Amino acid sequence: MISLDLLIGLSVLYVIFLFVVAFLAERAAQRGRGAWLRSPLIYTLSLSIYCTAWTFYGAVGFAARSGLEFLTIYLGPTGVMIGWWLVLRKLVQIGRAERITSIADLISSRFGKSTLLGGIVTALAVIGTTPYIALQLQSVTLSLEVFNENASANGPASIAFWVAVGLAVFTIIFGTRNLDVNERHSGVVMAIAVEAIVKLVALLAVGAFVVWGVAGGVGNVLNSIDASPIARWEVSNARWLGLTFLSAAAFLCLPRMFQVLVVENSDERHLAVAGWAFPLYLLAMSLFVVPIAVIGLELMPAGSNPDLFVLTIPLAFGQEGLAMFAFLGGFSSATSMVIVAAIALSTMVSNHLVTPIWIRATESGASVSGDIRSVVLLSRRVSIAVVLGLGYLYYWLSGGGTALAAIGLISFTGMAQVLPAMLGGLFWRNATGIGAAFGLLVGFTVWLYSLFLPSFGPDVMLSSDVIENGPWGIGWLRPQALFGVTGLDPVIHAVFWSIALNAFVFVVGSLLTSPTPMERLQMMQYVGVTDLGRQARGRVESGADSEDLLIMAQRILGPEEAQFLFRSAAAGQGLTGYLPEPTAEFLEQLERSLAGSVGSATANAMLTQMLGQSNVSVEDLLAVADETAQIMEYSSQLELQSAELTKTAQQLKDANDKLMQLSHQKDAFLSQISHELRTPMTSIRAFSEILQTAGLSAHDQTRYASIILEESQRLTRLLDDLLDLSVLENGQVQLDLSHVQLGDILNRAVDAADPEGQLKIKRRKSAEDKHLMTDAGRLAQVFINLISNARKYCDGDPKELTIRTRNQGDFVVIDFVDNGTGISRADQSVIFEKFARVSDQQKAGSAGLGLAICKEVMANLGGTVAYLPGQGGAAFRVAVPKEYQATGG
Amino acid sequence: MTQPKSNNRRSHDRRRRVDAAIVLPLVGAVLVFVPVLWPSADSATPVNTSSASIYLFLVWAAMIFGAVILAYILRPSTSAEPSDD
């Protein structure tokens, strides 16, 4: 006999193995070696979380009770998968284009980024999934009890409890590492793929053992089937049609299925493979179900639980190894479902319940308050724990006695309520958010009343009197015979009325209301997604300050990604630096990136808050321009061309402005230079004349001579700088290339620029251990310049300068950030010009050539130096190539 | 396949492939729902579970085979973004 300890030890080992798989996959993905992690095969295997413990144990029980009816649960999804071209393809396309994070996000985003709808779907999902998680806990507990005939000190409830805790820990570790859902959970997906294989092989092994080891071949099995209690086809037509429809609907709407089908999908083309491979997986999972059920009914003692035949038949024949393998298969089915469901639900809860409330509560909004990332991550982690806690609570309340299949169907019916809103949103232009909200609420209520509450049994949630005679004795409101329809199976009854009323209210509600402008815009994105290119939409050019937007984006996306996004957007507009113009297209792009992290409704709300009233005025504008919008749909091509033209015109205008500016600069330069040369010349001349007069004391003579010396030194320095600059600008500079350590250069620069230690310099020496092939002297010159600028102009008290170093591709990036007030937006564009001095201070006799020289030096070294906005103080970013490469020509 | 075809012909081919993608699940649905027409268990000639299993698994396998063919004819080179003529 296998001891309970052995099984628990085995489960723990198995979970550790999954940890390792998930960890390795995550690391491979981070290092960019994860291409195979995103193959169609892994995608198909990840879909197998559809087959939970319900399939693994429950299908046999289902078949033993009602024959072939269990097939409906797998034929429905098969239909959805082979028809992927019709619905799934569009879902995946929209999911990618709009960066959808969950099914609640999809519905909310389609109907005008409505917070209300997101909240409704989230609540529905949490309530609908709770029984399902309870089902998994129940199946693990049941399967352990099979091995544990002498009841142990630990009751079943405590086993379920520790399983729930273990799953919560695993999910939190691998499910909430990244905030951006579009970054995908490579580790989790890989672990699920492994579990998919384990459960398939385990079930096939038990099936093969039963067919060839116990029954003695296929022929004997067919004979046994015909001799069994389920020998005749006696599936009611209503259940055959109704359950197939229900499972197809649930396949699309279950939060965990949406997570793997749409959110974790990395390539639309994987659908074509999964379109046949996943039905094949389902077929293989179902193949031996009837034989196992029939042989179990024949050989097992009467009254044994058919849900556990997969374990009890091998045990009865002394195949302990096989039984343990089957146990692991069932354990895999349960754990993978719970993990993905918890991830999907926690994303929904944090994006659609917690964050909107949090934003509303902190009235000042996203722009001022602290780091949003930590709030979102924390709320996700807490949600995971809460979701698993609810599942455990349901298990504990329901006493764990119900047949597995019954619990599963209740959950399916609940989530299927999203189907009308989802399909309507994808294909029907006139669907409105109000219609969808009422439809969902009606369907949800009918489901609660006719299926969920009665499922606890009479007198638990609903009194037996209400179930028998209806509330207040009103017969046509009996929960399981609404409108006097009696004789229907309770599940089919609930599916029929909830979906029918839901769809009816949705359609009528949509016809009676008209969509808001925002809904109309979203409708075009959704209904037309396969036929149209994307169009700019949404916001008018506003007074939004790009720098504020950057600060907010850094909080949500993290500094690197936000800076990259802003920089490439600026480059797309033909600008240099980090601050693009806040055009409608850019805001749209920004909003979608944010939506990938916090959901579309929240992202929209944050931007609206930052942009003030502008969004409202867009809606007003759009209401007027609605007719035009209809036409615009068909002229996206034209628009594209015109956008191209506008861009070219903008670039021309920029070039022209630049030329004008240069011409002005040249004039200014000439007058500057004569001024800069003249000032020291004047004092030299004046003091020389004074020296010529007789009768000066020796002391005065020395003083005047030293002034002359100082002024002529300043003159020399200025001329040196000018000469240097002209050499650099003409590219005639001779570089003295050598292999150097970045840290050494920085040490040298710090010593030279700040010998008296007026600046508090924060560095991380370990990060500076980088090898460069460049001109050390020139690079040091740039660093010295930046450090002495901080020393001269930083107004922090005490003055601090942070030097950060990191790798970025072939470049080493060094940021110099001080704690002063920074440089104003207007000045940022001129500081790299010659003779630009932001302040009027004439400290240290600088002529304002320093940064201009830095810029030229870096250009000669093949790198860049740029002002980095949004860092608190003045910040400069130097990018040096690791290996200097001479530019051709 | 390797010879260049006229635009007209290509778009016609494409439409046929898309039609196939729509027809397959419909045919599958009809075949899966055939049991609705079977006589009930208490009739004179009930259907055996064994033959029902064989029928349903064969239909299932046929649908999978159809989906394999579909994946082949809709592979990326032919299903590139719809740009009718």
Side-chain angles (χ1 to χ4, degrees):
Chain A
M1 193 66 211
I2 305 163
S3 76
L4 191 65
D5 292 338
L6 176 65
L7 276 184
I8 292 176
L10 189 70
S11 315
V12 171
L13 272 184
Y14 181 67
V15 169
I16 292 174
F17 164 70
L18 289 181
F19 260 99
V20 173
V21 167
F23 176 74
L24 290 180
E26 195 113 298
R27 210 176 55 175
Q30 269 168 8
R31 296 190 176 172
R33 284 191 280 105
W36 60 277
L37 291 173
R38 290 185 293 276
S39 68
L41 179 70
I42 302 288
Y43 178 66
T44 307
L45 287 175
S46 73
L47 296 187
S48 76
I49 54 154
Y50 180 75
C51 304
T52 62
W54 174 16
T55 298
F56 196 84
Y57 297 121
V60 172
F62 201 160
R65 291 181 189 103
S66 358
L68 283 173
E69 192 181 289
F70 82 96
L71 281 180
T72 52
I73 305 301
Y74 309 100
L75 287 172
T78 299
V80 173
M81 285 312 296
I82 63 170
W84 59 274
W85 184 267
L86 296 174
V87 179
L88 275 180
R89 189 177 58 111
K90 194 158 177 175
L91 263 184
V92 168
Q93 280 172 340
I94 290 174
R96 295 169 62 74
E98 302 283 316
R99 307 197 68 175
I100 295 297
T101 58
S102 66
I103 179 132
D105 196 22
L106 177 90
I107 302 289
S108 142
S109 161
R110 161 62 179 86
F111 295 107
K113 309 188 179 177
S114 144
T115 318
L116 173 75
L117 271 171
I120 293 179
V121 178
T122 303
L124 187 75
V126 170
I127 299 176
T129 309
T130 303
Y132 217 110
I133 290 177
L135 187 158
Q136 312 303 319
L137 298 178
Q138 180 182 336
S139 70
V140 173
T141 316
L142 278 178
S143 62
L144 273 172
E145 279 174 8
V146 167
F147 292 92
N148 186 31
E149 282 167 345
N150 325 313
S152 74
N154 297 347
S158 90
I159 293 175
F161 178 77
W162 287 112
V163 171
V165 170
L167 288 174
V169 170
F170 184 92
T171 313
I172 287 172
I173 291 179
F174 287 101
T176 58
R177 182 170 291 181
N178 308 324
L179 182 55
D180 189 340
V181 180
N182 283 49
E183 275 170 23
R184 300 193 180 81
H185 307 92
S186 326
V188 172
V189 169
M190 195 60 214
I192 287 164
V194 171
E195 295 198 286
I197 295 172
V198 171
K199 64 193 179 196
L200 178 66
V201 175
L203 196 58
L204 288 180
V206 173
F209 169 71
V210 167
V211 170
W212 286 282
V214 178
V218 178
N220 291 351
V221 169
L222 288 179
N223 290 337
S224 297
I225 292 177
D226 286 337
S228 70
I230 54 169
R232 303 277 170 268
W233 171 266
E234 46 193 333
V235 182
S236 88
N237 290 348
R239 270 181 81 88
W240 185 254
L241 296 173
L243 292 184
T244 309
F245 164 79
L246 179 62
S247 63
F251 185 71
L252 285 170
C253 298
L254 286 171
R256 67 171 197 281
M257 289 318 298
F258 192 87
Q259 177 82 24
V260 285
L261 269 174
V262 179
V263 180
E264 305 279 347
N265 177 293
S266 56
D267 189 341
E268 190 187 319
R269 283 170 299 184
H270 292 173
L271 278 179
V273 176
W276 59 263
F278 185 63
L280 188 63
Y281 185 95
L282 289 179
L283 186 144
M285 287 295 277
S286 319
L287 199 55
F288 289 116
V289 167
V290 169
I292 297 174
V294 166
I295 301 297
L297 286 173
E298 193 177 306
L299 299 179
M300 289 288 124
S304 37
N305 186 352
D307 279 336
L308 295 169
F309 281 166
V310 174
L311 291 175
T312 47
I313 297 180
L315 275 181
F317 286 85
Q319 297 286 335
E320 298 200 335
L322 184 61
M324 284 204 318
F325 188 33
F327 169 78
L328 272 192
F331 188 71
S332 294
S333 323
T335 50
S336 54
M337 177 272 162
V338 175
I339 290 167
V340 180
I343 291 177
L345 285 180
S346 72
T347 309
M348 285 159 73
V349 169
S350 85
N351 286 356
H352 297 281
L353 293 178
V354 178
T355 323
I357 293 171
W358 184 76
I359 285 193
R360 202 156 293 179
T362 55
E363 202 47 58
S364 48
S367 46
V368 198
S369 33
D371 194 333
I372 295 161
R373 282 169 17 124
S374 59
V375 174
V376 175
L377 277 180
L378 180 70
S379 76
R380 268 183 210 177
R381 288 175 183 150
V382 173
S383 317
I384 288 176
V386 169
V387 162
L388 281 164
L390 282 177
Y392 174 71
L393 193 70
Y394 184 98
Y395 165 76
W396 188 67
L397 275 181
S398 68
T402 329
L404 298 178
I407 306 184
L409 288 178
I410 293 170
S411 183
F412 270 26
T413 315
M415 271 329 283
Q417 301 308 321
V418 182
L419 188 76
M422 182 202 239
L423 290 185
L426 288 185
F427 297 104
W428 188 33
R429 288 169 169 268
N430 296 328
T432 69
I434 296 176
F438 277 106
L440 276 168
L441 287 177
V442 166
F444 186 45
T445 314
V446 173
W447 168 74
L448 270 182
Y449 179 66
S450 65
L451 194 60
F452 185 76
L453 296 182
S455 78
F456 290 90
D459 291 326
V460 179
M461 292 289 176
L462 289 180
S463 72
S464 53
D465 182 50
V466 170
I467 295 180
E468 289 292 315
N469 303 315
W472 308 289
I474 306 174
W476 58 273
L477 277 182
R478 274 174 290 164
Q480 298 185 334
L482 286 175
F483 306 106
V485 179
T486 50
L488 261 184
D489 170 80
V491 173
I492 298 303
H493 171 267
V495 172
F496 177 76
W497 283 117
S498 60
I499 299 277
L501 291 175
N502 174 342
F504 177 74
V505 171
F506 172 47
V507 170
V508 172
S510 296
L511 292 178
L512 291 180
T513 53
S514 49
T516 63
M518 182 58 106
E519 281 180 63
R520 252 172 240 233
L521 284 169
Q522 290 299 95
M523 179 274 286
M524 286 172 207
Q525 305 300 326
Y526 276 65
V527 180
V529 72
T530 45
D531 311 319
L532 292 169
R534 302 198 51 83
Q535 322 158 359
R537 65 178 151 146
R539 302 170 186 281
V540 276
E541 316 223 347
S542 64
D545 187 354
S546 300
E547 190 158 351
D548 291 342
L549 290 175
L550 176 60
I551 293 172
M552 180 192 67
Q554 286 185 131
R555 286 218 186 97
I556 298 175
L557 303 173
E560 271 184 48
E561 197 184 328
Q563 285 162 16
F564 177 77
L565 177 75
F566 275 64
R567 184 169 205 160
S568 43
Q573 294 176 357
L575 303 168
T576 53
Y578 288 87
L579 296 179
E581 289 299 317
T583 57
E585 294 98 288
F586 171 64
L587 290 177
E588 156 86 10
Q589 189 192 356
L590 177 63
E591 188 180 325
R592 252 182 299 132
S593 300
L594 296 179
S597 291
V598 293
S600 58
T602 307
N604 183 261
M606 283 176 166
L607 278 187
T608 307
Q609 233 171 19
M610 296 215 54
L611 303 178
Q613 290 301 305
S614 66
N615 206 29
V616 177
S617 65
V618 186
E619 295 207 357
D620 298 342
L621 269 179
L622 277 164
V624 182
D626 185 50
E627 300 309 313
T628 333
Q630 299 276 349
I631 304 165
M632 269 167 57
E633 257 187 275
Y634 301 101
S635 60
S636 61
Q637 198 69 29
L638 260 175
E639 222 170 279
L640 209 69
Q641 284 173 352
S642 108
E644 198 70 26
L645 277 174
T646 319
K647 199 171 141 192
T648 319
Q650 180 65 37
Q651 280 166 345
L652 273 175
K653 192 164 158 285
D654 285 351
N656 196 25
D657 287 350
K658 191 90 191 166
L659 278 174
M660 293 287 285
Q661 225 178 348
L662 281 174
S663 152
H664 288 307
Q665 264 175 21
K666 193 197 72 194
D667 294 345
F669 180 73
L670 284 177
S671 81
Q672 272 279 1
I673 200 152
S674 34
H675 172 76
E676 296 283 347
L677 289 174
R678 205 186 164 86
T679 324
M681 281 311 278
T682 313
S683 45
I684 290 172
R685 221 178 76 199
F687 285 106
S688 312
E689 274 169 14
I690 297 172
L691 278 178
Q692 275 178 345
T693 53
L696 281 174
S697 69
H699 173 255
D700 280 348
Q701 277 186 15
T702 327
R703 210 177 62 151
Y704 296 146
S706 68
I707 292 177
I708 292 173
L709 181 65
E710 217 170 88
E711 290 296 320
S712 54
Q713 276 170 349
R714 188 168 136 199
L715 207 52
T716 318
R717 214 164 40 231
L718 178 63
L719 289 172
D720 282 349
D721 280 355
L722 275 175
L723 205 59
D724 201 15
L725 197 59
S726 88
V727 167
L728 284 164
E729 280 184 338
N730 294 327
Q732 298 161 335
V733 64
Q734 286 291 322
L735 292 176
D736 177 18
L737 296 173
S738 61
H739 289 276
V740 282
Q741 287 294 115
L742 179 63
D744 297 344
I745 305 182
L746 278 168
N747 289 341
R748 222 163 85 198
V750 169
D751 291 345
D754 186 29
E756 291 149 33
Q758 296 168 340
L759 272 174
K760 185 162 175 266
I761 296 184
K762 295 189 192 161
R763 296 166 57 185
R764 257 191 49 218
K765 301 263 161 110
S766 59
E768 291 166 4
D769 183 23
K770 294 194 165 49
H771 200 76
L772 295 175
M773 214 275 279
T774 188
D775 185 329
R778 286 294 187 180
L779 192 57
Q781 186 187 359
V782 173
F783 292 164
I784 291 171
N785 226 304
L786 293 176
I787 299 170
S788 28
N789 274 350
R791 180 170 55 81
K792 283 182 229 159
Y793 302 119
C794 173
D795 50 6
D797 186 31
K799 296 177 178 189
E800 277 180 16
L801 177 71
T802 312
I803 302 179
R804 281 192 298 255
T805 311
R806 65 190 165 78
N807 286 320
Q808 195 173 66
D810 293 335
F811 287 81
V812 174
V813 173
I814 307 116
D815 290 348
F816 296 83
V817 184
D818 71 26
N819 63 339
T821 41
I823 294 172
S824 74
R825 179 81 199 276
D827 291 332
Q828 286 171 19
S829 55
V830 296
I831 47 175
F832 288 105
E833 304 298 343
K834 282 168 243 169
F835 296 111
R837 240 192 325 258
V838 172
S839 59
D840 288 325
Q841 297 155 306
Q842 278 274 5
K843 283 188 200 167
S846 83
L849 287 173
L851 285 173
I853 292 178
C854 286
K855 190 175 147 194
E856 291 303 331
V857 169
M858 287 319 296
N860 276 283
L861 291 179
T864 54
V865 54
Y867 187 74
L868 191 64
Q871 304 298 316
F876 290 89
R877 168 166 289 182
V878 178
V880 204
K882 287 176 186 163
E883 293 277 332
Y884 172 81
Q885 258 153 16
T887 43
Chain B
M1 278 290 170
T2 50
Q3 288 160 350
K5 289 179 187 171
S6 73
N7 259 347
N8 227 343
R9 180 73 194 280
R10 255 205 307 272
S11 94
H12 178 64
D13 272 5
R14 224 193 86 75
R15 276 201 301 274
R16 278 195 314 177
R17 291 190 187 101
V18 171
D19 286 350
I22 295 166
V23 164
L24 176 68
L26 294 183
V27 172
V30 170
L31 290 176
V32 165
F33 290 139
V34 160
V36 169
L37 306 174
W38 287 345
S40 63
D42 43 14
S43 72
T45 53
V47 177
N48 284 337
T49 298
S50 53
S51 22
S53 301
I54 292 170
Y55 170 76
L56 286 170
F57 276 100
L58 281 181
V59 166
W60 204 340
M63 286 195 289
I64 292 169
F65 183 67
V68 173
I69 294 177
L70 197 64
Y72 177 75
I73 62 174
L74 287 171
R75 68 192 184 284
S77 58
T78 52
S79 68
E81 269 314 287
S83 55
D84 289 56
D85 51 5

